[in-house]
Amino acid sequence: MSAPRSSGPLRRVGVVGVGRMGAPMAGHLVAAGLEVEVYDAREEAARAVVRRYPAAGAAPSLAALAARADAVVTMLPDGSVVRTVALGGERGGDSLSAGWAERAGNGGRRPLLVDMSSSHPSGTRALGETVASLGVAMVDAPVSGGVRGAEAGSLAIMAGGDPEAVDRCEPLFAAVGRTVVCTGALGSGHATKALNNFLSASAMIAATEAALVARRFGLEPRLVIEAVNHSTGRSSSTEEKFPRFVFSGELNAGFALDLMLKDVACAVDLARETGTPAPLARATHELLAGAREDLPAGVDYMQIVRHFEARAGSAIEAPPEN
């Protein structure tokens, strides 16, 4: 990491949101020797983490978790949920801010809010300003690698925020990830993640279209993809996703289509906010939205292959047509 090390170890970490990503991440934090406490709106999810990792604890409330943690990690569906967890809803209620208020005036280092969800960068900057007024430093640190990366502790982390705050997260990041790129100021991590997922989605759509054209032309898509992987058209979609998820028929990368659609929408928003023409980003979003309409709710992102196969009237793994 590029930022200089700061004194004072980060020891107590709270994790809010222990679903398919958050649960294994909490386990890696426990294995790294950190004191871990978890919270989830689904109480059974938090209890399941404690059963699996007995050294972890389950917090009775968000306020109790924030009052004890040096850093609170959020792994939640989107930035609006993160904001509600941090500050409470329109009618108040349990929130991290209540716990941070208990710490105010007690001295010591500022607590951290580390949002590892995929949130909108503009919302992240606004939330960062608000929690700063409560004496909390915020870091946005979205991840890439999906459920498999979370389970393996090999996530790629894109970290934005004050360099000193990012540096304090080093033991946390080392426990759950393999690579950390410090992307700049607060919000830059979430912007980078949105742009990354736009690139990932557009490459996957392009590879699927190419494989279907190959099939309709009478070629073997496996051989075409193999040739591409030795050529300039290769991408993570052709090198990893097609062999692992498409040709195997598994079509389950551990990342929901709804989440990919949300992230690409964020990339489109960034283009609009910055006045940048982005016709490919818009087209990618429209194609994903069309797939979302045609596919069952909650499907994995890889299921877009079935959507494009249906549109083409051909299957990538079908025998060549005469």
Side-chain angles (χ1 to χ4, degrees), residues 261-262 264-266 268 280-290:
L261 183 61
K262 171 182 68 71
V264 176
C266 181
V268 173
L280 182 55
R282 292 196 304 273
T284 300
H285 181 262
E286 290 172 4
L287 289 167
L288 289 176

Side-chain angles (χ1 to χ4, degrees), residues 89-208:
E90 293 180 358
R91 299 181 180 179
D94 184 30
S95 68
L96 298 173
S97 60
W100 290 326
E102 291 182 27
R103 303 168 61 111
N106 292 337
R109 308 197 69 182
R110 298 172 72 191
L112 294 170
L113 172 60
V114 186
D115 184 15
M116 302 189 80
S117 322
S118 293
S119 302
H120 198 291
S122 298
T124 296
R125 288 179 174 175
L127 179 57
E129 291 178 1
T130 301
V131 299
S133 68
L134 304 176
V136 177
M138 184 172 180
V139 171
D140 61 315
V143 300
S144 181
V147 174
R148 287 171 175 80
E151 291 173 344
S154 60
L155 295 167
I157 301 168
M158 307 158 217
D162 177 79
E164 192 270 342
V166 172
D167 184 67
R168 286 181 60 200
C169 296
E170 184 172 6
L172 187 163
F173 292 159
V176 301
R178 181 174 55 196
T179 345
V180 180
V181 177
C182 300
T183 52
L186 184 66
S188 63
H190 284 144
T192 302
K193 173 66 183 292
L195 295 172
N196 173 80
N197 279 13
F198 153 56
L199 290 170
S200 178
S202 60
M204 185 64 199
I205 291 171
T208 300

